[in-house]
């Protein structure tokens, strides 16, 4: 059995394609929830991932990582991965952007800083999620 490369360009491109679709939908949901429904930072950003997770699971399972497992374990690992990546990415992004704003003396309103933090969180999430899905959720047995 051939050893899988940690960074496989085909997997990265496929993961990116799935991510583009998720990003378009999820970002629209997140900023709609934040700006129109007036949900807070955590609720709005969480809605982003709740909406995209079902599609992401199916597309990455079959298209990106070509997993043929039929187990509840994959679903459980996917939920664990998404949750950890989300908490880590957005937990880092919000204080990081707040501190950057203070250090750069930007003096931006809180809602603008939180939306910038959401964008940073999305970027962190993509990186964490790729490795989580590759190495944990859809790992080859």
């Amino acid at each position: 059995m051939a050893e899988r490369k940690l960074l496989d360009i085909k997997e990265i491109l496929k993961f990116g394609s799935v991510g583009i679709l998720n990003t378009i939908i999820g970002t629209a949901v997140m900023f709609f929830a934040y700006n129109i429904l007036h949900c807070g930072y955590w609720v709005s950003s969480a809605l982003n991932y709740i909406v995209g997770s079902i599609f992401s699971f199916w597309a990455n399972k079959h298209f990106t990582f070509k997993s043929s497992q039929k187990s509840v374990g994959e679903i459980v690992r996917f939920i664990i991965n998404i949750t950890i990546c989300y908490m880590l990415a957005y937990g880092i992004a919000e204080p990081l952007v707040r501190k950057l704003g203070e250090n750069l003396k930007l003096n931006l309103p809180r809602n603008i800083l939180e939306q910038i933090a959401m964008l940073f969180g999305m970027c962190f999430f993509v990186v964490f999620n790729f490795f989580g899905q590759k190495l944990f959720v859809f790992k080859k047995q």
Side-chain angles (χ1 to χ4, degrees):
M1 182 169 160
E3 187 176 314
R4 283 179 61 185
K5 293 186 283 186
L6 184 60
L7 294 174
D8 179 318
I9 192 69
K10 287 182 184 177
E11 281 182 347
I12 292 170
L13 291 173
K14 288 179 179 182
F15 188 82
S17 298
V18 169
I20 288 169
L21 292 173
N22 276 345
T23 299
I24 292 167
I25 295 165
T27 303
V29 167
M30 180 170 64
F31 287 118
F32 178 82
Y34 189 86
N35 292 301
I36 306 301
L37 301 178
H38 305 290
C39 297
Y41 174 82
W42 287 104
V43 171
S44 299
S45 60
L47 286 172
N48 178 354
Y49 294 97
I50 291 168
V51 169
S53 289
I54 294 170
F55 171 76
S56 177
F57 176 81
W58 181 86
N60 283 315
K61 174 182 175 68
H62 297 288
F63 178 65
T64 306
F65 299 110
K66 298 193 183 310
S67 174
S68 59
Q69 293 183 40
K70 305 243 187 279
S71 72
V72 173
E74 276 186 337
I75 295 170
V76 170
R77 288 191 306 271
F78 182 82
I79 292 168
I80 291 168
N81 178 65
I82 293 293
T83 302
I84 290 170
C85 291
Y86 167 74
M87 296 300 290
L88 188 59
Y90 285 84
I92 291 169
E94 196 275 332
L96 175 68
V97 168
R98 186 174 6 94
K99 191 68 173 166
L100 283 172
E102 290 170 7
N103 289 347
L104 297 173
K105 296 182 183 10
L106 295 178
N107 203 21
L108 295 171
R110 180 179 176 176
N111 69 320
I112 299 299
L113 285 172
E114 286 183 341
Q115 291 180 79
I116 293 168
M118 288 178 194
L119 293 171
F120 272 65
M122 289 169 63
C123 295
F124 294 149
F125 181 87
V126 167
V127 174
F128 298 153
N129 187 35
F130 174 79
F131 288 108
Q133 287 194 42
K134 180 177 180 75
L135 302 173
F136 177 62
V137 177
F138 301 116
K139 66 182 178 187
K140 300 286 186 203
Q141 299 300 327

